Amino acid sequence: GDELPCGSTAVTPAFREDAVTQNQLTVVTVVDPASVDRVRAVLAAIDSYSKRLAPPGSLIGVSTIHFVRWLLIDQGRRLMLISDYDGSWESYIDEFAEMILSGLDAIWETSLGSPPDGARDVPAFKRFLRSHQVPAEVFFAAYPDETVLNIAADSAAALSQG
């Protein structure tokens, strides 16, 4: 059923968080086999929106994301999220739940073990994500103290000077 990819580890995911300004998140869930096409459609819609309608430097109002990627792996059997973001894990998930609640529900409601109320039940949703989080063996940030907002400001300043 709902396989927990990280299983029991001696090092909790929180151990590697908040060492620098940026953090990483990798989550792997098992997708209901009958819902793989639905997940693909949801991801395609999010991709289209993010490329065509989202303001620069923001994904539907979440402006702490350096990057986020959702992908189906193992012939659609699993869904993987990979993201680098600014700030704490707690604030990142809170911001996602506040800004794109319906998107989170559409993405993960087909994953086995997803809470019945989805991201509306933020504590249950956080437990779901934590239980499917895979700690990074290596996390490298070229500019570990730079936030998305700092990078955007520096880029805008460089453009105005050039």
Side-chain angles (χ1 to χ4, degrees):
D2 181 22
E3 300 164 20
L4 301 179
C6 63
S8 172
T9 62
V11 179
T12 64
F15 179 80
R16 297 181 186 182
E17 294 169 358
D18 301 327
V20 296
T21 300
Q22 300 169 22
N23 284 296
Q24 66 81 34
L25 174 62
T26 303
V27 174
V28 179
T29 60
V30 177
V31 177
D32 175 0
S35 302
V36 173
D37 288 339
R38 182 179 189 284
V39 173
R40 279 193 176 99
V42 168
L43 295 178
I46 292 169
D47 184 55
S48 180
Y49 176 86
S50 68
K51 289 178 179 172
R52 292 171 180 81
L53 301 173
S58 172
L59 175 63
I60 312 173
V62 181
S63 59
T64 57
I65 302 171
H66 288 265
F67 78 85
V68 64
R69 235 179 123 184
W70 282 276
L71 56 152
L72 286 163
I73 59 173
D74 298 335
Q75 292 78 45
R77 190 169 164 266
R78 298 176 193 255
L79 176 66
M80 178 183 276
L81 160 83
I82 304 168
S83 183
D84 282 9
Y85 58 93
D86 296 330
S88 73
W89 185 91
E90 291 284 335
S91 63
Y92 182 58
I93 302 306
D94 287 341
E95 188 174 23
F96 253 114
E98 178 183 331
M99 302 300 287
I100 58 171
L101 176 73
S102 61
L104 294 177
D105 286 345
I107 291 168
W108 273 300
E109 69 187 358
T110 62
S111 288
L112 302 178
S114 179
D117 291 331
R120 286 179 292 288
D121 183 349
V122 176
F125 186 68
K126 285 180 177 180
R127 284 190 302 276
F128 167 72
L129 293 178
R130 276 287 193 210
S131 70
H132 291 85
Q133 186 169 347
V134 180
E137 297 301 324
V138 175
F139 171 62
F140 170 79
Y143 306 100
D145 297 320
E146 292 296 324
T147 66
V148 171
L149 296 175
N150 289 346
I151 293 168
D154 292 347
S155 180
L159 286 174
S160 68
Q161 293 175 355

